[in-house]
Amino acid sequence: MRSTMMDAPLQVSRLLKHGRTVHGSAQVTTWTADGPRRSSYAEVGAQAARLAHTLRDDLGITGDERVATLMWNNAEHLVA
């Protein structure tokens, strides 16, 4: 019997992958003093993957360690 529980773990990487593959052309808009700055979910997903690989490969961050951010609510924070 199927339940209402998810059959996959809730991970940020899965959310970004879904955004990249299903909604890749949808826009992420960050408002700045100069007006809106736009990027696509495909771009955000690619940037997030690059950041994750850099944290792992170049800085040695493993799966059981944590990295925190303190940023404005913008596309860069979504990437991080």
Side-chain angles (χ1 to χ4, degrees):
M1 178 171 139
R2 290 201 43 95
S3 70
T4 57
M5 296 297 293
M6 296 177 53
D7 56 353
L10 180 59
Q11 298 172 326
V12 173
S13 59
R14 287 182 180 261
L15 294 172
L16 288 169
K17 181 178 180 182
H18 178 79
R20 189 176 71 240
T21 57
V22 177
H23 305 287
S25 62
Q27 290 189 345
V28 174
T29 305
T30 297
W31 287 94
T32 69
D34 299 325
R37 184 171 36 89
R38 293 181 172 86
S39 56
S40 70
Y41 274 101
E43 293 167 335
V44 167
Q47 291 170 1
R50 280 195 302 275
L51 176 59
H53 289 284
T54 298
L55 289 171
R56 182 191 65 202
D57 299 340
D58 297 344
L59 299 176
I61 304 296
T62 64
D64 62 345
E65 295 176 303
R66 302 296 177 257
V67 176
T69 63
L70 180 61
M71 303 173 81
W72 294 105
N73 187 9
N74 57 28
E76 290 79 14
H77 198 192
L78 179 60
V79 167

